[in-house]
């Protein structure tokens, strides 16, 4: 049985993960439409959208298993276009930082409420956010480094394609 504050927090996080999945999906579609030749970048974003869905499913299963119905609320105000690839990846990095803050708050709450099952469950998300933030920062740093270098962008796209194959996101 969850305490009320924990239940609200976990359900909110579940919907944040769904929002993340849709944000990556929206970005993937935009990049594919605008830059059809940058398949490394848009496939990375499509695949990451699936990854976020897995984060959401983990929460759904945890809630349902412990007797709380994991209902889905999907009323998101998603951005649909960006001015540049750089702006898109800046937004993505900010988004991941925001998710990290939310996970931290949830961990803090689980300790305050002495819900050690949830504290333990959330450790997976803590680890994951270190990777997620690091990855989005690494991509943004590379994009910043490239500026308007088209040849560099081509190589970056290739890089991301291979990175993806290696990490099987
Ligand atoms: Fe679910 O980790 Fe990114 O947002």
């Amino acid at each position: 049985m969850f305490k009320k504050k924990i239940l609200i927090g976990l359900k909110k996080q579940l919907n944040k993960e769904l929002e993340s999945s849709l944000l990556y999906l929206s970005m993937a579609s935009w990049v594919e439409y605008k830059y059809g030749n940058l398949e490394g970048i848009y496939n990375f974003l499509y695949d990451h959208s699936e990854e976020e869905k897995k984060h959401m499913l983990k929460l759904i299963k945890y809630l349902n298993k412990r007797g709380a119905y994991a209902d889905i609320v999907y009323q998101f105000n998603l951005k649909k276009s960006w001015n540049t690839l750089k702006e898109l990846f800046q937004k993505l990095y900010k988004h991941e930082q925001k998710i990290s803050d939310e996970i931290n708050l949830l961990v803090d709450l689980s300790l305050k409420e002495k819900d050690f099952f949830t504290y333990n469950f959330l450790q997976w998300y803590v680890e994951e956010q270190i990777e997620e933030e690091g990855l989005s920062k690494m991509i943004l740093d590379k994009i910043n480094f490239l500026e308007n270098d088209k040849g560099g962008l081509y190589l970056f796209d290739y890089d991301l394609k291979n990175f993806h194959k290696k990490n099987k996101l």
Side-chain angles (χ1 to χ4, degrees):
M1 181 85 165
F2 289 105
K3 289 188 182 157
K4 197 171 173 202
K5 280 186 190 167
I6 297 279
L7 188 57
I8 292 171
L10 288 171
K11 283 190 180 186
K12 200 172 144 211
Q13 191 56 38
L14 176 174
N15 285 289
K16 286 277 160 200
E17 299 295 347
L18 175 57
E19 185 182 13
S20 293
S21 175
L22 294 174
L23 178 66
Y24 275 93
L25 186 63
S26 172
M27 288 175 161
S29 175
W30 183 79
V31 176
E32 186 175 27
Y33 168 70
K34 287 287 261 193
Y35 308 91
N37 56 340
L38 296 179
E39 59 176 315
I41 298 180
Y42 63 73
N43 281 332
F44 164 81
L45 292 164
Y46 277 127
D47 288 356
H48 209 96
S49 166
E50 290 301 311
E51 183 78 4
E52 295 295 349
K53 213 159 110 192
K54 287 186 198 153
H55 299 175
M56 174 193 70
L57 272 173
K58 226 174 158 59
L59 278 150
I60 290 180
K61 291 190 176 294
Y62 178 64
L63 281 158
N64 285 340
K65 208 187 292 171
R66 294 198 57 214
Y69 172 45
D71 53 325
I72 315 291
V73 188
Y74 44 92
Q75 282 175 333
F76 306 121
N77 199 3
L78 282 176
K79 201 166 161 55
K80 294 191 183 115
S81 65
W82 295 265
N83 291 316
T84 57
L85 280 174
K86 184 172 163 174
E87 186 197 319
L88 180 146
F89 282 109
Q90 279 169 339
K91 292 274 176 332
L92 203 56
Y93 180 44
K94 272 212 174 113
H95 177 78
E96 288 300 348
Q97 287 179 310
K98 208 173 84 203
I99 297 290
S100 297
D101 289 347
E102 277 150 7
I103 294 290
N104 278 335
L105 286 174
L106 212 43
V107 171
D108 185 48
L109 182 67
S110 68
L111 282 178
K112 283 185 182 135
E113 296 288 319
K114 297 194 185 330
D115 182 343
F116 301 113
F117 288 169
T118 298
Y119 174 81
N120 193 43
F121 169 76
L122 289 172
Q123 296 314 300
W124 184 87
Y125 287 85
V126 172
E127 279 286 317
E128 185 67 14
Q129 275 317 115
I130 296 172
E131 275 186 34
E132 297 271 287
E133 250 195 72
L135 180 59
S136 52
K137 179 168 184 328
M138 183 264 284
I139 293 175
L140 180 60
D141 286 347
K142 288 192 179 194
I143 290 274
N144 281 335
F145 184 72
L146 291 175
E147 286 298 338
N148 294 321
D149 176 359
K150 289 215 166 96
L153 188 60
Y154 176 79
L155 287 175
F156 169 69
D157 183 67
Y158 188 73
D159 199 24
L160 211 48
K161 204 185 296 177
N162 288 331
F163 168 86
H164 225 226
K165 260 190 233 150
K166 247 192 284 154
N167 290 278
K168 273 195 139 255
L169 286 176

